[in-house]
Amino acid sequence: HLSLQSGSDAVLKRMKRRYCLSDYQEAVSLIRALVPDAAITTDIIVGFPGETEQGFEESYQLCRQLQFARIHVFSYSRRSGTEAARLPHQISAQVRKERSQKMLALAEESAQKFRQQFLGKIMPVLWEQQSVDGVWSGLTRNYIKVYTRSDEDLTNKLLPLKVA
C-alpha cells in the first residue's frame, strides 16, 4: 500500500512528504517487476491547499497509468489550528467535491480492471465466512473478494477456485 497526494511535487513538499512522484512511480514499477499480480493500493488526498487544476489532472492521470487495485480517496478537510489550515490557496468545498467524485469514479474503474485480469484463472482462496443464505466469501492472495456455495465448512481453509 502506497500513499499519494494529489498535486505536484511542490504540493508534496508542502505536505512534508519525503518523496517525489518519480520515487513513487519507481516503487510501483519495482513491486510489479517482483510480484506481477500484486494488489497495489493507494490513498490519495484531493484538494490540499495549493493543488492546482493541472496538479490534480497530473495525479489523476498518474493513478490511471499506475492501475491500482484500489484507490482510497480522501478530500482535504480544513482543521483549525493545523499548519495546513494556515496555508494559502485553500481549495473551495465545491472544487474538492468535484475532484473527489472524479477520483472516486477512477477508483471504481481501476478496481474493476484489476479484478477482470484474473477472470478464468485458478487462484488459492482463504475462505472466511458463510452468509445466512449459504454463500461463502473469501480472499485471494491479492485481496480479491470471491464467493462460492458449499455445504462444507470452509472456514480458514485455503482452497483453489477458478475466478469467474
Side-chain angles (χ1 to χ4, degrees):
H1 178 80
L2 303 168
S3 289
L4 177 65
Q5 282 68 42
S6 182
S8 64
D9 284 334
V11 171
L12 293 174
K13 190 177 226 177
R14 277 196 304 283
M15 294 182 80
K16 302 195 188 269
R17 299 300 191 243
R18 295 184 185 123
Y19 55 86
C20 62
L21 294 177
S22 61
D23 293 336
Y24 195 85
Q25 289 171 296
E26 190 175 321
V28 171
S29 294
L30 180 60
I31 293 166
R32 290 232 165 90
L34 296 173
V35 187
D37 64 348
I40 302 173
T41 65
T42 193
D43 292 342
I44 186 160
I45 299 172
V46 298
F48 192 80
E51 176 189 81
T52 63
E53 184 63 36
Q54 179 182 348
F56 171 77
E57 279 301 318
E58 287 173 4
S59 296
Y60 179 86
Q61 293 305 325
L62 179 65
C63 286
R64 179 179 290 288
Q65 171 200 341
L66 294 178
Q67 300 177 354
F68 292 106
R70 284 194 190 93
I71 302 171
H72 300 113
V73 180
F74 302 91
S75 184
Y76 167 77
S77 179
R78 190 174 189 171
R79 307 232 192 291
S80 63
T82 63
E83 190 175 332
R86 295 185 295 272
L87 290 173
H89 310 294
Q90 296 286 325
I91 308 300
S92 74
Q94 180 61 34
V95 170
R96 289 193 316 261
K97 182 178 179 180
E98 289 167 4
R99 291 178 184 175
S100 180
Q101 288 173 338
K102 183 174 180 177
M103 196 65 79
L104 285 167
L106 176 62
E108 180 56 38
E109 177 187 320
S110 187
Q112 187 175 16
K113 283 182 182 178
F114 178 76
R115 291 187 306 265
Q116 284 178 340
Q117 68 183 314
F118 298 99
L119 290 176
K121 294 186 179 180
I122 297 174
M123 300 180 75
V125 174
L126 178 60
W127 296 103
E128 296 180 321
Q129 61 187 13
Q130 186 179 34
S131 66
V132 291
D133 62 352
V135 176
W136 284 90
S137 64
L139 293 171
T140 65
R141 67 178 174 245
N142 53 4
Y143 300 99
I144 297 172
K145 192 159 206 153
V146 294
Y147 303 90
T148 194
R149 285 198 179 275
S150 178
D151 294 330
E152 245 183 274
D153 181 2
L154 302 180
T155 307
N156 291 324
K157 290 185 180 175
L158 187 64
L159 300 169
L161 175 82
K162 184 175 183 179
V163 178

